[in-house]
Amino acid sequence: MDIPGLVEVTTYEELREIVPPPFGAAVDKERKELHPLDREWLAASPFVLMATSAADGTCDVSPKGDPAGFTLVLDDTTIAIPDRAGNRRVDSFENIISNPHVGLIYFLPGRTDTLRINGRARIVSEAPFFDQMIVKGNRPQLALLVDIEEVYHHCSKSFLRSKLWKPESWNVDAAPSRAEISQALERKDASLAELEKYYGKEYEEKIYDVKY
């Protein structure tokens, strides 16, 4: 896209002319192993965003969520994340097969800081810890084993700017409903009433009944 007046930054030197190198705590906070405080955070977190990239550079960011503590800490440098069946796209897992690097951001609802973990991932179909990942009778068929290379806590600025956890700023009706989006883009042969029922109360009740 040709945008008049656009100035592109294409080199490291140009970037650092605008944004000086980090200093102090921003650099020193990086660690290679989990601290007890990191373990507490993981035990309390019900949600993570997982970023991956294929060997050709194509990217994916996938949400993973379960009851708090769903990420198992196996030791100070290894964590395991269960996979629950969904739409069967497994975009992130396909990426990991060709490029094992992953980036994780762990959230605590209501908190404006986050925990970030970067490392190398392996897809496993069986392990002794799978029995610890059972939720409502659902034992995962796959899990992600992550060898930690970098871990640190991230500041609150983006959450404060966005007011993400401020209910008074929420507008859940600002965009079409999930049923409306599905009918327009994904399930064009289904009626809106059918989709509203599908994405209603039963959808939440059956999320652990789904198999690959």
Side-chain angles (χ1 to χ4, degrees):
M1 181 178 182
D2 184 20
I3 303 177
L6 183 146
V7 179
E8 186 175 355
V9 176
T10 59
T11 68
Y12 178 86
E13 289 73 23
E14 289 175 328
L15 175 63
R16 283 308 181 187
E17 283 183 8
I18 300 171
V19 184
F23 58 89
V27 176
D28 297 338
K29 67 181 178 179
E30 294 180 11
R31 291 169 280 107
K32 301 290 186 183
E33 298 182 353
L34 293 173
H35 185 278
L37 293 176
D38 304 327
R39 287 173 173 259
E40 289 188 44
W41 190 282
L42 292 172
S45 175
F47 185 79
V48 64
L49 292 177
M50 179 171 66
T52 60
S53 174
D56 65 2
T58 53
C59 298
D60 176 74
V61 178
S62 294
K64 302 291 182 183
D66 254 331
F70 72 100
T71 294
L72 297 184
V73 176
L74 303 181
D75 60 35
D76 287 343
T77 59
T78 316
I79 59 175
I81 304 168
D83 185 63
R84 306 295 175 186
N87 58 18
R88 301 183 181 179
R89 287 184 57 100
V90 294
D91 297 299
S92 55
F93 281 11
E94 289 186 349
N95 286 346
I96 287 167
I97 288 174
S98 63
N99 175 10
H101 296 282
V102 297
L104 306 168
I105 300 182
Y106 281 91
F107 294 72
L108 285 184
R111 285 284 294 264
T112 55
D113 48 337
T114 55
L115 177 68
R116 300 181 65 162
I117 295 176
N118 299 317
R120 298 172 68 88
R122 292 174 279 167
I123 304 167
V124 294
S125 60
E126 186 55 76
F129 54 75
F130 273 42
D131 287 341
Q132 299 178 57
M133 295 177 164
I134 296 174
V135 177
K136 295 186 177 181
N138 183 292
R139 188 178 191 271
Q141 294 174 264
L142 294 172
L144 206 63
L145 198 63
V146 179
D147 297 314
I148 296 170
E149 296 179 329
E150 184 180 46
V151 56
Y152 59 92
H153 288 262
H154 199 94
C155 72
S156 303
K157 294 185 180 68
S158 61
F159 287 84
L160 295 174
R161 295 185 187 111
S162 66
K163 299 181 180 179
L164 184 65
W165 303 122
K166 299 289 186 180
E168 62 271 21
S169 73
W170 297 350
N171 183 2
V172 296
D173 298 319
S177 69
R178 180 70 189 100
E180 292 171 315
I181 293 170
S182 181
Q183 185 188 47
L185 303 177
E186 304 157 0
R187 304 177 184 221
K188 299 179 181 180
D189 294 333
S191 71
L192 184 58
E194 289 172 330
L195 292 171
E196 286 175 341
K197 180 180 179 182
Y198 175 78
Y199 289 112
K201 184 178 179 181
E202 291 183 3
Y203 187 82
E204 181 178 356
E205 292 175 345
K206 295 181 178 180
I207 54 176
Y208 286 102
D209 297 336
V210 180
K211 305 295 182 182
Y212 289 120

